[in-house]
Amino acid sequence: MEMKKFFSYLTAILMIALVSMGFTACSSDDDDESSLSFTKEIIVGKWKITNIAGNNEHGNWLFVGSEAEFKSDGTCKGWFSMEDAYKIEGGRIKTYNARTSEPMFVYTLLSQNGATLSVKMDGTLDDNSTCTLTLKKVN
């Protein structure tokens, strides 16, 4: 009889644990800002900024009409002069200075509509700016 009671308690504990995991395992607020991912096929080419929204602390070099180019070999001519290389990690673009390996910016793809992208741009290290860029492919 003692063994039957033990298995009843064990079964009850397992059921409670399974139900608890079901409530805590997933929630919509755990999702990334974007389910889209950058690939080389998407980003390679020349891009022009058509709109900037958010905290743009770099108005002297990041402005509507400025262009950047991303090449298939991992080099780029970014909006900032030292931003000359990139890698795609976790679906995001991380730019850096090729000579010093200093990180520059992280770009997250928010949406894509043909040749137009909406991209969140986050600063790294001492740059806390965050803004959303609308980019139009120009070639």
Side-chain angles (χ1 to χ4, degrees), residues 73-76 80-89 93-107 124:
D73 65 359
T75 61
C76 65
F80 183 60
S81 64
M82 292 177 60
E83 187 181 21
D84 60 3
Y86 75 97
K87 53 190 166 189
I88 299 174
E89 292 181 350
I93 293 176
K94 296 182 177 184
T95 60
Y96 59 98
N97 180 269
R99 187 176 54 77
T100 65
S101 297
E102 180 180 359
M104 294 289 147
F105 299 96
V106 177
Y107 298 92
T124 57

Side-chain angles (χ1 to χ4, degrees), residues 1-20:
M1 198 61 156
E2 202 59 41
M3 195 61 118
K4 189 175 181 180
K5 221 178 206 185
F6 172 74
F7 281 116
S8 292
Y9 285 124
L10 183 61
T11 302
I13 290 171
L14 286 173
M15 292 301 288
I16 291 170
L18 288 173
V19 170
S20 297

Side-chain angles (χ1 to χ4, degrees), residues 13-139:
I13 290 171
L14 286 173
M15 292 301 288
I16 291 170
L18 288 173
V19 170
S20 297
M21 286 174 31
F23 284 116
T24 60
C26 298
S27 71
S28 61
D29 61 353
D30 290 339
D31 296 341
D32 281 358
E33 294 175 321
S34 171
S35 61
L36 298 174
S37 294
F38 273 113
T39 62
K40 284 197 177 185
E41 290 78 22
I42 292 172
I43 196 59
V44 168
K46 190 178 279 189
W47 297 90
K48 180 182 279 193
I49 297 175
T50 60
N51 189 49
I52 301 174
N55 179 17
N56 177 16
E57 297 177 357
H58 307 293
N60 59 337
W61 56 264
L62 185 66
F63 52 90
V64 171
S66 58
E67 295 182 356
E69 183 173 12
F70 293 84
K71 298 180 180 179
S72 61
D73 65 359
T75 61
C76 65
K77 181 180 179 279
W79 287 277
F80 183 60
S81 64
M82 292 177 60
E83 187 181 21
D84 60 3
Y86 75 97
K87 53 190 166 189
I88 299 174
E89 292 181 350
R92 295 183 172 153
I93 293 176
K94 296 182 177 184
T95 60
Y96 59 98
N97 180 269
R99 187 176 54 77
T100 65
S101 297
E102 180 180 359
M104 294 289 147
F105 299 96
V106 177
Y107 298 92
T108 304
L109 182 59
L110 301 176
S111 68
Q112 179 181 11
N113 184 5
T116 302
L117 304 178
S118 176
V119 176
K120 180 181 174 194
M121 180 180 137
D122 290 308
T124 57
L125 296 177
D126 60 345
D127 184 345
N128 294 323
S129 65
T130 297
C131 56
T132 301
L133 307 175
T134 304
L135 307 176
K136 177 85 172 163
K137 196 166 197 174
V138 293
N139 78 343

